[in-house]
Amino acid sequence: MKKQEIQKIALERIKILFKEADKSFSKHPERSNRYVKLARKIAMKVNLSIPSTYKRKFCKHCYSYLKIGSNARKRIRDKKIIYYCMECKKFNRIPYKR
Ligand SMILES: [Zn+2]
């Protein structure tokens, strides 16, 4: 299989994992964290960077699944989106794109 094909499959799996993480979060947040871990593992294995849409869904410090209003807060400052992780009490800064 070509590298591109492998990455495409990996991306599909990452998509599904984040979808599942979102679904489980309200009842089983620990499961959501496991899905994040799995998604990162897959991405690393095939040398793929996780799309920014998903990157903002977890904390880059403790890798907890983040849900605004539950365990995360979102602020916009200096053209950057800042996520505050209430699990590890750290900030995640993401450049703001239009
Ligand atoms: Zn965190």
Side-chain angles (χ1 to χ4, degrees):
M1 242 198 300
K2 279 182 198 163
K3 195 186 167 193
Q4 271 178 319
E5 282 173 64
I6 295 165
Q7 287 188 331
K8 204 177 151 198
I9 293 163
L11 189 65
E12 282 306 310
R13 287 178 69 190
I14 289 165
K15 259 188 217 171
I16 293 164
L17 284 167
F18 274 99
K19 213 170 160 186
E20 288 302 315
D22 193 47
K23 256 196 270 174
S24 334
F25 188 77
S26 58
K27 280 182 185 169
H28 307 283
E30 76 285 350
R31 263 186 222 173
S32 305
N33 294 343
R34 213 156 60 215
Y35 290 134
V36 168
K37 213 173 160 185
L38 263 169
R40 287 185 59 244
K41 237 184 185 171
I42 292 166
M44 263 190 269
K45 210 173 161 187
V46 302
N47 206 5
L48 180 85
S49 63
I50 294 174
S52 58
T53 339
Y54 302 123
K55 257 185 192 162
R56 67 188 65 178
K57 287 182 189 284
F58 65 87
C59 172
K60 68 172 182 183
H61 303 286
C62 66
Y63 305 116
S64 294
Y65 184 79
L66 296 181
K67 187 131 183 154
I68 309 297
S70 301
N71 64 348
R73 282 193 202 119
K74 184 181 167 185
R75 294 271 177 282
I76 295 170
R77 195 181 298 157
D78 298 329
K79 288 181 182 168
K80 274 181 185 141
I81 304 174
I82 298 166
Y83 291 95
Y84 176 66
C85 172
M86 286 155 82
E87 306 289 343
C88 68
K89 317 256 187 291
K90 279 179 183 163
F91 293 97
N92 292 273
R93 286 174 189 85
I94 291 164
Y96 183 55
K97 270 187 227 157
R98 281 168 189 264

